[in-house]
Amino acid sequence: MTYITKPKLHHPTLACNAIGFTRRDYEGKISTLCAGCGHDSISAAIIQACWELDIEPHRVAKLSGIGCSSKTPDYFLGQSHGFNTVHGRMPSVLTGANLANRDLLYLGVSGDGDSASIGIGQFVHAIRRGVNMVYVVENNGVYGLTKGQFSATADQGSKSKKGVVNTDSPLDLVGLAMQLGATYVARGFSGDKTQLVPLIKGAIAHKGAAFIDVISPCVAFNNHAGSTKSYEYVREHNEAVNRLDFIDVRAEITVDYAEGEIVDVTQHDGSIVRLRKLSADFNAHDRVGAMNYVHARQAKGEVVTGLLYVDPDAHDLHEHFNTTEVPINRLGVKELSPGIAALEKINAGLR
Amino acid sequence: MTAHRSPLTAHESDLRARIEATNDFVVKFANVNGSGSASANELFARSILRMGVPVSPRNIFPSNIQGLPTWYEVRVSERGWLGRRGGVDLMVAMNPQTWDADLTEIEPGGYLFYDSTRPLPASKFRDDVHVLGMPLTAICNRTYADARQRQLFKNIMYLGALSVLLGIDADEIQRLFAEQYKGKEKLLDSNVRALELGREHAQQHLPPIGLHVRRADNVGDKIFVDGNVAAALGCVYGGATVCAWYPITPSSSLAEAFQKYCMKYRVDPETGRNRFAIVQAEDEIASIGMVVGAGWNGARAFTTTAGPGISLMSEFIGLAYFAEIPVTLIDVQRGGPSTGMPTRTQQSDVLACAYASHGDTKHVLLFPEDPHECFEFAAQALDLADRLQTPVFVLTDLDIGMNQRLTAPFVWDDARDYDRGKVMTAEELEAGKDFGRYKDVDGDGIPYRTYPGTHAERGAYFTRGTSRDPYARYSERGPDYVYNMERLLKKWDTAKSLVPQPHLRGTSGEARDGVIYYGSTSPAMSEAIELLGKDSLVLDTLRVRAFPFPDVVGEFIRRHERVFVVEQNRDGQLRTLLINEFGIDPARLVAILHYDGTPVTARFIAGAIGERVRRAAPTGRVAS
Ligand SMILES: Cc1ncc(C[n+]2csc(CCOP(=O)(O)OP(=O)(O)O)c2C)c(N)n1
Ligand code: SF4
Ligand SMILES: [Mg+2]
């Protein structure tokens, strides 16, 4: 079924990755989002991560809900099948798709309205099930596409563009994800690509439910003074707990670090996530500790970013279900129908 | 033996009229939910079947786990009438809570079997009903020390007594025990003993009655199974690999049966790994979402639900219709609206399914009449969904789904392959075949699709619920939108020839009136036609098996002066569909409606139609 990717002829100045693709081969349609929208930077980070990881674009299935953020899968990986589903329900569609064919890479893109408001139920349950996926929420604290209403991640006390103060307490997606058993949990900032790209690469290499909350300012409706999701606010309050280097299985490890500052996490596929600690009292293997840490800083108005929790030995839904190695969408009547002899026995048992 | 005295014994009322019937009567068991009566009652039905006499049992149960009343109504009919008859000839009244109502249901001259351990005043009985008292509790308390045993064997004991009264061959019951308790000899022995105790008591103390089972040969190779099990097996044979569901009566047992059969037939013998994935989702929205995702990605997927689930699934059903994704939904209908009557039967989701979701939508519906068709239609729905790239609904109901029914054996042909529809392969893409996801290349309205991951450079597209051009590019241009909507209509026309065709029965043109019916109304309808025939009322019948309606349905209506549409809902939903789809004068379609939650009976249909024909009233919509 799979076709071997053929080497292509490219502009000689464009760098190719190991499978002969340039970064352009990972691009999609021209974005129709507002100039300066954080979401576009996340698309660029996804493109970069996939290119660097030598991923065959057609082996990715990208799914989203509805919103500006959910439009973005059209703007990257043009050779991948995409599915812009319905508002808040991407997780269930992704789960079903993943069950049908375990061989593809599942990338779910959603917004804070899509995942934390209307879709909170599906977000919660897809994570609980341990679906093998990369789930990215492009979090701007508002509904961009419907023109700036607060979403469920808007901080209490933050001010809308029209001056309305949000009185509801915010939903914290990374805290929830950790509590629900996501096995790779990170937070990034669309304004910090150097941090974001390795976070995405680590998530892609992870086998299990990987969740990344990316603070992604909405320049049209939530980038003003009084907003806690503006570029300025996040830059000022960003507290990165670690810096990540993603080391591919094939790459040689050359960089040296002072002892005690780094932690290597070897994931299922052999790749290594090398964490350079920036905060002495943070440990990305300690789920409960990480939850407490994030909440304590959040209470002080800080935005904790970095790889917050990782369990490199995670199990995914297919393991729980003990499904065949062969993707079940490839099974035919021979494998699926018990046949007429069995049916005759069944009939006999019903007399 | 405990001294007891019933106010009126069968002996004393011997002079009164007594129902005399062989192989044609109704026995109803009134029990308490959770008392273990279900298996004894099923044994009763099965033992009669083993004597070659058709039976049709029906569970009438509350939305509750323990303590509330339940009934099990068994119609014995050598002729093979499997619809509910109405009326009760022998009431096995084991539930004091419902005594009064149960008593009134008995036909004059009928029989009342009850536990006479505690004496009841004469006012608790009827003069025209023959009473059979048996001190079941006393016998059980005397025989068993354990409380649970006392309860369970009480059921077996009345089974024993009934076998004597009705002349059911005890050997048949013993054989059923032996099959049921194979390898559990202790259980087998104690059950046989309880049965014997019941039989002995009846032989010594109970008078003969006028109802009898006589060996016949009218069961043939038929099987006895409920529609949910049948549909689950249809999904196994039909190649469903993904099932996502959320528990709801009366559909849960379908998903559970699918699980059971998958564990048996779908485990790779070499690796021990599963060739299926079943998710009990967090709600019906997630269930259908998973089915949509799996269908999009090339697996055969289905969900099973009831009315409330359909309401929740609406948005996704519209997405699957518009984005053209194969989806199979099995709706085991129950009484609506809202939570309605969760444990009663109705055909009241027809319109909700036919036009589910906002915007202009129409969906394929299949209406199985019995478990045999549940099996076949479930398998066919998976083919149709792939072929038509759209949601396909199998509309069964509680009456078919949760009651064991005598039905033709399941059939399968090992040469049968799945119709996966129009899927463009990597080879075709490689050869340069033009791929427009929403382009009508064959003139049947059905476009080609590709599975994700097929080819490195070709065939990828962005699936969405927004409008698009034939190459799946986002478009809000009027002509693009209209092209697509018109193509969907063309596909709808194509569907007419692919769905199960209606069954026509009747005269060669002399009948002025016709009848249209569908689904679980079928057995009662067949019997009603015979009843009407005895009154010299002749009608042509058409059983609709699917929506969209093939043209013959419209022709049938046009050929008759008046057509009765028999349904189990309040508003005549299929009638509305017929009027809407064929643009027929509503006056020609007369609604015959039964919707109190009990399965429709032949007596009701024959009565309602007979009255209207005799009245020769001007035609029009008649509410019942
Ligand atoms: C069922 C339903 N309700 C409402 C909408 C309207 N709607 C579209 S996008 C959106 C909010 C999107 O917010 P978010 O997920 O945060 O995305 P953003 O635009 O901010 O990236 C809403 C409410 C819809 N499409 N569907
Ligand atoms: S409205 Fe906000 S979220 Fe939407 S594209 Fe513009 S900046 Fe981005
Ligand atoms: Mg948002």
Side-chain angles (χ1 to χ4, degrees), chain B residues 300-315:
Chain B
R300 299 200 133 183
F302 78 99
T303 184
T304 176
T305 189
I310 295 292
S311 293
L312 279 182
M313 292 176 184
S314 276
E315 191 186 14

Side-chain angles (χ1 to χ4, degrees), chain B residues 145-156:
Chain B
D146 176 67
R148 187 68 191 152
Q149 281 194 336
R150 283 176 175 174
Q151 178 55 53
L152 287 179
F153 287 127
K154 199 190 282 182
N155 304 319
I156 300 300

Side-chain angles (χ1 to χ4, degrees), chain B residues 82 221-225 230 370-373 405-410:
Chain B
L82 302 178
D221 70 343
K222 290 212 174 88
I223 57 173
F224 187 60
V225 65
D370 63 5
H372 175 83
E373 275 192 352
R405 181 74 49 85
L406 205 56
T407 194
F410 302 134

Side-chain angles (χ1 to χ4, degrees), chain B residues 229-303:
Chain B
V229 164
L233 263 172
C235 290
V236 172
Y237 273 80
T241 48
V242 175
C243 165
W245 67 294
Y246 188 76
I248 185 167
T249 304
S251 74
S252 301
S253 62
L254 200 164
E256 284 155 3
F258 182 70
Q259 169 105 30
K260 187 186 108 184
Y261 286 116
C262 280
M263 296 303 287
K264 185 148 185 209
Y265 297 109
R266 282 283 193 76
V267 179
D268 185 328
E270 266 148 47
T271 61
R273 306 278 284 270
N274 295 335
R275 290 168 170 161
F276 63 91
I278 301 169
V279 192
Q280 188 193 308
E282 60 269 30
D283 56 34
E284 287 88 346
I285 304 177
S287 309
I288 184 87
M290 290 176 200
V291 171
V292 165
W296 173 72
N297 213 1
R300 299 200 133 183
F302 78 99
T303 184

